[in-house]
Amino acid sequence: MKQLILVFFCFFSIMGYSQDKEVKKIDSLLQLSSEYKFKDMLKALLYTKQAVSIAEKMNNNELMYNCYLEIARDLSNLNLNDKSLEYVSKADKILTHKSKIQQAKLNEIKVINFAAIGLEDLERQTINEILNSLSTENSLESKELQAQTFAYLASYYEYKENYKKANQFINKAIKLNREISNPKPIDIYILKADILMKTQQWDSSFIYLQKAFDEHKSRKDQSSQYSLLWALGDYYYLSGKYLKALDNYRKSLEDMNKFKMVDIECTMSIKENMYRIYEALGDEKNREKYYTEYQKEYTQYNDVN
């Protein structure tokens, strides 16, 4: 009898060890996917697919749910929105009883896809579902999701040129950022600065850009700062300081090249502004150079989208 118990104990110990090993493998693959999201989205997708395959073999609903959401996010980043929504649907079905946090994460990816394919009513409805479901939650993870949603709404209303509402929502995101464990102050400060630029509040806008640069400098891992330099270039461009704008735009492109970052919307926007600046300065040679590069990227972007 003791030997039988020992055999069972060993069996379940081995099974537990094997499962732990597979879970760690999934975590490692998703971490690798995260690292490649701005460098090579196809490679990021490959790592996520490998994680999905392991989760499916384990037949673990929680792991499959998380992996399906991650692959849905990758597919939306590649503008494969129909495919992305298919994985959102698979995630929804695989985990019938979801916590409010799990449902909010699923809805967050729905919002991104609805926005991309122009389903604005569904986009706004799903945003409201996220905020309503989390309104009574007080966990750090809940606050992080709320902060992301408020920032999304700020960006939405900025695009709609409703700067008053955009400012209200970005202020809510900034407030929540002070309370959570994984804040995104750089992105939040850049968005706040951008909204202030649109209303020509130059001094206030520059203060938030400086906050973003200070936050970047305080970090131990000196990652790419191309988005900061892009934002600063926009600040100088919109305020009419063309030479400073050109300097920061060039630095942003150089930084992207240094860190092997891929952001076609950024490079397209920068090159469009650069050719317009050179046009205003009467520099036909550089105007033609950046206009040609902008047109090429614009065509590529529209082919993908």
Side-chain angles (χ1 to χ4, degrees):
M1 183 68 179
K2 286 182 180 179
Q3 285 181 327
L4 187 61
I5 292 171
L6 186 59
V7 167
F8 274 113
F9 177 78
C10 290
F11 173 75
F12 285 113
S13 294
I14 291 167
M15 286 291 292
Y17 172 76
S18 178
Q19 286 203 340
D20 286 346
K21 191 177 176 181
E22 294 299 280
V23 169
K24 286 177 181 177
K25 195 181 290 184
I26 288 172
D27 289 341
S28 296
L29 287 165
L30 292 180
Q31 180 60 39
L32 278 169
S33 174
S34 178
E35 290 171 9
Y36 276 96
K37 286 197 194 305
F38 280 101
K39 299 176 185 177
D40 186 336
M41 266 311 304
L42 290 175
K43 189 171 278 190
L45 181 62
L46 177 64
Y47 286 126
T48 308
K49 281 183 174 179
Q50 290 175 11
V52 167
S53 179
I54 295 169
E56 287 178 336
K57 285 175 184 174
M58 292 176 69
N59 200 27
N60 183 310
N61 286 359
E62 290 268 352
L63 287 174
M64 288 162 68
Y65 180 82
N66 292 334
C67 288
Y68 285 159
L69 289 191
E70 198 57 39
I71 203 168
R73 193 181 297 278
D74 288 351
L75 290 165
S76 70
N77 287 338
L78 287 164
N79 300 307
L80 299 170
N81 303 104
D82 290 342
K83 288 280 185 185
S84 176
L85 287 169
E86 283 179 22
Y87 273 96
V88 168
S89 179
K90 286 178 77 170
D92 198 20
K93 290 172 183 174
I94 202 73
L95 201 65
T96 50
H97 299 291
K98 292 181 278 293
S99 69
K100 289 182 179 181
I101 298 290
Q102 288 170 325
Q103 184 64 53
K105 286 181 176 180
L106 182 143
N107 282 341
E108 184 184 30
I109 300 171
K110 277 187 180 180
V111 167
I112 295 166
N113 284 295
F114 290 153
I117 56 183
L119 299 175
E120 193 169 331
D121 289 344
L122 280 173
E123 177 190 4
R124 288 305 318 278
Q125 178 186 322
T126 312
I127 287 171
N128 289 335
E129 285 176 19
I130 293 171
L131 293 176
N132 289 337
S133 68
L134 297 179
S135 62
T136 56
E137 296 288 301
N138 201 39
S139 68
L140 291 177
E141 195 171 13
S142 167
K143 289 179 180 179
E144 284 168 15
L145 284 166
Q146 288 180 71
Q148 290 168 21
T149 307
F150 287 141
Y152 183 91
L153 280 168
S155 182
Y156 171 87
Y157 281 111
E158 183 191 14
Y159 176 75
K160 294 288 185 181
E161 297 184 2
N162 186 336
Y163 301 122
K164 184 178 180 181
K165 276 199 169 182
N167 204 42
Q168 288 171 352
F169 282 113
I170 200 60
N171 285 342
K172 288 183 177 183
I174 289 171
K175 184 180 178 183
L176 276 175
N177 247 13
R178 301 189 189 111
E179 303 175 25
I180 61 184
S181 55
N182 294 308
K184 296 183 178 177
I186 293 176
D187 295 340
I188 297 291
Y189 289 151
I190 289 174
L191 183 51
K192 172 73 174 180
D194 198 48
I195 293 165
L196 291 167
M197 284 181 218
K198 299 294 171 55
T199 52
Q200 299 184 343
Q201 298 180 63
W202 305 116
D203 291 344
S204 297
S205 177
F206 191 80
I207 287 169
Y208 278 96
L209 286 174
Q210 190 60 59
K211 283 176 181 281
F213 274 101
D214 289 344
E215 177 67 27
H216 184 271
K217 286 177 185 175
S218 71
R219 296 186 172 182
K220 292 178 181 178
D221 58 323
Q222 287 301 298
S223 56
S224 172
Q225 56 177 343
Y226 82 91
S227 59
L228 282 165
L229 293 162
W230 175 22
L232 191 57
D234 283 351
Y235 170 84
Y236 285 124
Y237 172 57
L238 293 172
S239 58
K241 296 171 183 175
Y242 292 157
L243 295 180
K244 285 188 174 183
L246 287 171
D247 182 49
N248 281 283
Y249 283 150
R250 284 194 207 95
K251 287 177 180 176
S252 179
L253 294 173
E254 289 167 3
D255 191 82
M256 289 182 75
N257 185 55
K258 176 183 174 182
F259 287 93
K260 296 182 172 59
M261 306 298 283
V262 178
D263 187 340
I264 194 168
E265 289 185 10
C266 170
T267 54
M268 189 171 63
S269 173
I270 284 176
K271 287 173 183 179
E272 180 184 14
N273 289 348
M274 287 181 81
Y275 96 71
R276 292 187 186 280
I277 290 172
Y278 282 121
E279 187 174 62
L281 295 173
D283 186 336
E284 185 58 30
K285 183 180 177 181
N286 277 311
R287 183 258 177 210
E288 185 63 27
K289 176 181 184 292
Y290 286 102
Y291 177 76
T292 302
E293 290 182 15
Y294 162 68
Q295 284 292 330
K296 182 180 177 182
E297 293 193 3
Y298 181 78
T299 302
Q300 290 174 345
Y301 181 78
N302 280 317
D303 286 346
V304 172
N305 291 279

